[in-house]
Amino acid sequence: MLKARGTGPMTAIETEELRKRFRGVNAVDGVDLSVPEGAIYGFLGPNGAGKTTTIRLLLGLLRPNRGRIAIFGENLKTKRRRALKSVGVAFETPAHYEHLTGRENLDITRRLLKLEKTEIDRVLDTVELTHVANRLVRKYSLGMRHRLGLARALLGQPKLLIFDEPTNGLDPVGIREMREFIKTLPARTGATVFVSSHHLAEIEQIASHVAVINLGQIVFQGEMTALRGLHAPRLEIAGNDLDAVSLFLSQTELAPTKKDGKLVITLSAAESAEREAAQINRNLVDAGFDIHHLVIAPWRLEELFLQLVGAKPLLASNADRREPEC
Ligand SMILES: Nc1ncnc2c1ncn2[C@@H]1O[C@H](COP(=O)(O)OP(=O)(O)OP(=O)(O)O)[C@@H](O)[C@H]1O
Ligand SMILES: [Mg+2]
């Protein structure tokens, strides 16, 4: 049930059985989201999973075939204006007027929202674009364009910020800056942040809560720590005489397998991974082995999905997703 206003703790976004069908294909297929106020809520899924479609539904840009949406308790269908009043949004490819300056671009939205002029300086400062505010957008770097998109989303101090793949196309430095920026937003602005991505590592580093979507369906929703708990990390080892290393490790109740010229060991839990790796390292060095590579392998989205959805394909062909004709 969608929560009514004033009953219990407020959820920023709540959806119930949300569905959107495109030409017989369920792009969003019975999605129940519950985004707690104050969270950084990661919306994680591979290409074509239904992230942007869900976001467009949340913003009233698409009409669902069924289901309900409430934003801070306001039903999007019946109280559209009130529901969307407190929402700021940035899409993955921010559209700006190239022949205008950053400041002039923001001024257009400021006027539409009937906000004070000082609001522009505030958001420029927040995204650290003050020094290029009077430069034409056509001379902006991609990172600056993204930040200008965020600045626009921040106008009017919305209580909910929705970002669709905000790091797409950025270089590693730009990605890190964006990540750090998003991470500090709830503390700095009091806003709840809903951010989509297909990068597990990115979401893992910023989100307090996460929903994983595949083929239009939510396959996990909960706290980030709970998702992390599902994953048994692995240690990769390379060095001289790996067969002897493997034999040695087998005797200490570890079960190494060989892959791409390295030994791979499944560790017991994410929380203790570093401690376990250090102990194994110590044991190998004490035993006189010559090790030149010992790394906790990054957790990959594909593996997480295998754990969550088993053998289901990661990407749907349209035929797989078509509803049975009846
Ligand atoms: N306007 C549309 N008309 C028809 N099909 C659409 C439309 N928009 C999206 N789809 C289909 O809906 C499915 C979900 O698309 P969506 O854009 O929501 O995925 P996504 O998770 O945002 O993917 P990406 O990571 O590539 O951005 C895809 O199969 C897509 O082809
Ligand atoms: Mg998308």
Side-chain angles (χ1 to χ4, degrees), residues 22-23 27 45-53 92 165 198 318 321:
F22 292 120
R23 292 186 225 104
N47 293 130
K51 302 182 296 293
T52 301
T53 306
E92 61 179 306
E165 309 238 17
H198 57 271
N318 281 352
R321 300 176 76 173

Side-chain angles (χ1 to χ4, degrees), residues 143-161:
M144 289 175 186
R145 284 158 196 266
H146 270 261
R147 279 192 276 154
L148 186 61
L150 295 192
R152 191 164 51 199
L154 293 170
L155 282 169
Q157 296 184 267
K159 287 196 310 185
L160 172 63
L161 292 164

Side-chain angles (χ1 to χ4, degrees), residues 15-42:
T15 73
E16 199 178 77
E17 303 228 1
L18 202 56
R19 174 179 291 175
K20 182 66 192 175
R21 200 164 37 235
F22 292 120
R23 292 186 225 104
V25 178
N26 287 330
V28 171
D29 192 4
V31 162
D32 296 331
L33 294 178
S34 182
V35 179
E37 191 169 10
I40 296 184
Y41 188 97

